[in-house]
Amino acid sequence: MSPDSAVENAPAEKPLRSDAARNRERILAAAAEVFAARGLEATLDDIAAHAGLGIGTVYRRFPNRDALVEALFEERLAGVATMAALVLDEPDSWVALRRLLETMGAVVTADQGLFEVLICRPGGGGRAAVRETMLPIVTAVFGRAQADGHLRADVAPTDFPMMLRMLAGIGEATREVRPDLWQRYLELLLDGLRADRCGESCFTVAPIDPLDMDRVQHLGWPRR
Amino acid sequence: MSPDSAVENAPAEKPLRSDAARNRERILAAAAEVFAARGLEATLDDIAAHAGLGIGTVYRRFPNRDALVEALFEERLAGVATMAALVLDEPDSWVALRRLLETMGAVVTADQGLFEVLICRPGGGGRAAVRETMLPIVTAVFGRAQADGHLRADVAPTDFPMMLRMLAGIGEATREVRPDLWQRYLELLLDGLRADRCGESCFTVAPIDPLDMDRVQHLGWPRR
DNA sequence: ACGGAAGCGGAGGTTACCCCTCCACTTAGA
DNA sequence: TCTAAGTGGAGGGGTAACCTCCGCTTCCGT
């Protein structure tokens, strides 16, 4: 039907010229660094300068800011989901829980941009997918640790993103000075989460329910 | 010496006209609300609109933005320090610790502006004074709870502002939807802080030292 | 080695904010 | 009633971010 021989209805992305391909990678690398350090509000001019390129070059490759964010985080989000899924293989349910929090804590404290796409922004496109991947993992890991009596019974899956928020706040503030500090507070949280303590206690305040979680994201983004 | 009879070298603040005094209070009330909800980055136009007054009126009363912030937070900061000092009278050292975190947690989660003045901004003027008031209180409360064997021994005074940061993050995100939610995570932190548990554990990551705390504040303010 | 398509840089247009001033009008209160 | 004090809000001045445009440069097939 088409006059073209082989490539039928593919979008026909002809390969970039070699210098353009190299610059594309530079832009993505610079964007990764800048978004990690300053969050998604970093400017494209900043990113271009960081890449050692002109702004025009950035816009030639990515039609607008969101396209860049999308291209940058698509693969990283998939990677995060994959990493999180790894903990399901951990035989010890408490270790699985700790590894889940360590893994995701490391992600959100090291990379502010990734934290924002993952936790803060209303889900759309790849974001929704990752969160839908995460929920069953969190539920499974929490459930197993609770069944084994390691994790206190009154913890809910929605506590997970909230704890990540707490750690991300530490990370954002102290990343430049003490990039490991967040782990101290992860340890603190983990000690609070353990069920096998002498002094039993239970929360007097209910967890946030998933619908309100959505409202939190929609109210808080874009940054008012 | 002066031609004036009674009022010598007093600043001679002549009383405001009644409507002006009323509007001054309105401005302060509006500023309190807006700064609480949106932080110190809120605009003066916003505050004026919120007060139902023109911007000119705001500037007539407060020569610039900082003067308004100063006037607004001077008394509140003093109040915070006073409230914090109250917990020193609590006989039970663990209850004192909890009350300290509850009190300050309530402050920083309900009022984002106050949190920023208190924890985020580099200290200057009244801020430094409050922080100098807080440090001995925190040290005393922590020390007593540790001596009594309630608080784990490896907690440091600098953990206090970090925990407030964590709670403030929860507060900022969920204030509009679940203004009480932060207390759930305070309970979690408190459970992590207790020393009298079966499974002893201690931090593998050192606390941040006070000098680095200062660096954190100076690096993070003004908001890049 | 050459020609043209693809790519590049970055000045600057456009838009959006925000701080603060200014001044014609209004109001309190002696 | 008269005037000093107060008021509103348009708009000046400045900054910042997004994105476009176009003259110049670089790649690469022939």
Side-chain angles (χ1 to χ4, degrees), chain B residues 14 17 23 54 56-57 60-61:
Chain B
K14 67 164 59 172
R17 225 168 70 175
N23 284 340
T57 307
R60 163 165 302 273
R61 211 48 64 211

Side-chain angles (χ1 to χ4, degrees), chain A residues 30-69:
Chain A
E33 275 183 43
V34 173
F35 283 145
R38 300 219 280 281
L40 297 182
E41 319 231 312
T43 72
L44 293 201
D45 301 66
D46 258 354
I47 290 169
H50 205 79
L53 298 169
I55 325 157
T57 306
V58 175
Y59 279 97
R60 163 164 301 272
R61 210 48 63 210
F62 302 97
N64 57 54
R65 171 195 196 69
D66 281 344
L68 173 56
V69 171

Side-chain angles (χ1 to χ4, degrees), chain A residues 14 16-17 23 54 56-57 60-61:
Chain A
K14 66 164 60 174
L16 292 173
R17 229 169 65 176
N23 283 341
T57 306
R60 163 164 301 272
R61 210 48 63 210

Side-chain angles (χ1 to χ4, degrees), chain B residues 112-130:
Chain B
Q112 195 182 335
L114 202 41
F115 166 65
E116 288 170 9
V117 182
L118 203 56
I119 311 283
C120 300
R121 282 175 96 166
R127 263 140 272 160
V130 184

Side-chain angles (χ1 to χ4, degrees), chain A residues 94 97-98 101 150-152 163 183-197 199 201, chain B residues 152 154-155 187-195 197 199-204:
Chain A
W94 177 254
L97 176 75
R98 175 159 64 218
L101 278 162
H150 294 314
L151 176 63
R152 52 195 291 176
M163 289 189 288
Q183 296 180 56
R184 181 176 174 87
Y185 300 99
L186 171 56
E187 291 173 358
L188 182 61
L189 290 176
L190 283 169
D191 286 336
L193 289 172
R194 283 214 75 116
D196 33 19
R197 286 160 299 165
S201 72
Chain B
R152 53 195 291 175
D154 53 357
V155 168
E187 291 172 359
L188 182 60
L189 290 176
L190 284 168
D191 286 337
L193 290 171
R194 284 213 74 115
R197 283 160 299 163
E200 290 292 319
S201 72
C202 71
F203 293 127
T204 63

